[in-house]
Every structure is written in structure tokens, then in C-alpha cells.
Amino acid sequence: MKQRIYIDTSVLGGYYDVEFEMATKQFFERIINKEFDVYFSEVNDEELIFAPEKVKDIKNLIPEDCLHFIEITEEAKTLAQLYITEKALGKASENDAYHIALASVNRTDCLISWNFKHIVNYDKIKMFNSINMRYGYPLIDIRSPLEFLK
């Protein structure tokens, strides 16, 4: 069974970022080879509106039969707001809260991100998981693409 991964928008941006390019392209080779079911949300689409076309086009590398689109539900909104009200994230990081909530509510195996400040951060992950456990959601595994290289 393929792993179900949620990728946030930073992963797409990493494809052309000097610091993250090599690892992101290697990670996308695994995606192109259909090793994962990839979850992508309307939050990603909103964040991509002002991105360069070449970054927007990275989404097209995900095989259609492996791509799953997630819409924001009331359940995800509530969980995202809990991350903010319980101070795991600030109000300015609302989109990050939505990414984590969507991955949690949809019970993905892992959220993949290059956002080390707000998402791929040990102390933050502990807070997200504490909130998830208190409100009946599974622990969320959060990693960078580096951890998916072979």
C-alpha cells in the first residue's frame, strides 16, 4: 500500500530553490514513479495564485491517478483554529494551520514541507500532536523531502 502524503506549497517552490532543488527533484522522482498517493488542497491552490508559472507547473508532475484534492471542511477549519487559539501557531500562520489540519483530518501518513519555522519544527510538531490527541485525531508525522530520499 502506498503512503498517503500531503505536500504543502513549499515543496513545489523547492523545485527551483537553490537550497532545496536537488532534494526536491529527487523526491519528485518518487512521486512521478507513483510511490505515493499525494494529497493537495485548496490552500495550496490559493498559495500558488501569485507563484511563477514554472512553480505552478510542478503540480502537473504528479500523476493524475496519484493526486487527491482536499477541500477545506468545517472539521478542518475547527482544528486549524485550535492550533492558533492554543498557540501552536500565530494568526499570521493560518495557512500553515490549515495544511496541518487538512493532513490530520484526512489521516494522511505524513505532511511534507520545507517550512522549518512553522511546520517541520520539533517543538511545533509536539504541540500539533498534543492538540490532535486531545481532540481525537491521530498523531501527524511531519518531515522534509530530505527524509524521503533513497
Side-chain angles (χ1 to χ4, degrees):
M1 187 166 155
K2 290 191 269 189
Q3 288 186 60
R4 302 173 53 202
I5 61 170
Y6 180 101
I7 59 172
D8 80 356
T9 315
S10 70
V11 176
L12 301 179
Y15 203 88
Y16 293 109
D17 184 289
V18 174
E19 183 179 359
F20 303 121
E21 180 178 9
M22 187 176 74
T24 303
K25 288 181 177 179
Q26 290 176 17
F27 176 60
F28 263 89
E29 284 302 315
R30 293 190 68 192
I31 290 173
I32 292 164
N33 289 332
K34 301 183 177 188
E35 294 183 39
F36 307 106
D37 279 325
V38 179
Y39 287 75
F40 200 83
S41 74
E42 64 182 280
V43 179
N44 296 95
D45 281 347
E46 288 173 16
E47 290 177 338
L48 285 172
I49 289 172
F50 298 110
E53 285 303 315
K54 67 181 186 179
V55 173
K56 291 178 186 178
D57 290 342
I58 300 305
K59 180 182 173 186
N60 298 329
L61 296 176
I62 305 168
E64 280 187 39
D65 57 332
C66 297
L67 181 62
H68 306 275
F69 187 77
I70 302 172
E71 293 182 1
I72 297 173
T73 61
E74 286 303 316
E75 183 180 15
K77 282 182 189 177
T78 299
L79 185 56
Q81 291 309 310
L82 284 169
Y83 296 142
I84 294 167
T85 59
E86 297 201 18
K87 309 233 184 295
L89 292 169
K91 183 71 174 158
S93 300
E94 189 170 45
N95 279 359
D96 297 332
Y98 276 109
H99 287 304
I100 298 156
L102 287 163
S104 296
V105 166
N106 287 280
R107 291 165 166 68
T108 60
D109 296 314
C110 192
L111 184 155
I112 316 298
S113 176
W114 283 120
N115 182 338
F116 294 109
K117 184 175 182 181
H118 299 122
I119 299 178
V120 189
N121 175 303
Y122 179 76
D123 292 326
K124 299 274 185 195
I125 293 167
K126 285 178 66 174
M127 287 191 274
F128 303 141
N129 281 326
S130 173
I131 294 165
N132 280 8
M133 292 303 292
R134 275 187 280 133
Y135 292 95
Y137 294 98
L139 297 176
I140 182 74
D141 195 10
I142 300 176
R143 307 290 175 144
S144 79
L146 286 170
E147 296 184 66
F148 285 84
L149 303 184
K150 286 188 172 182

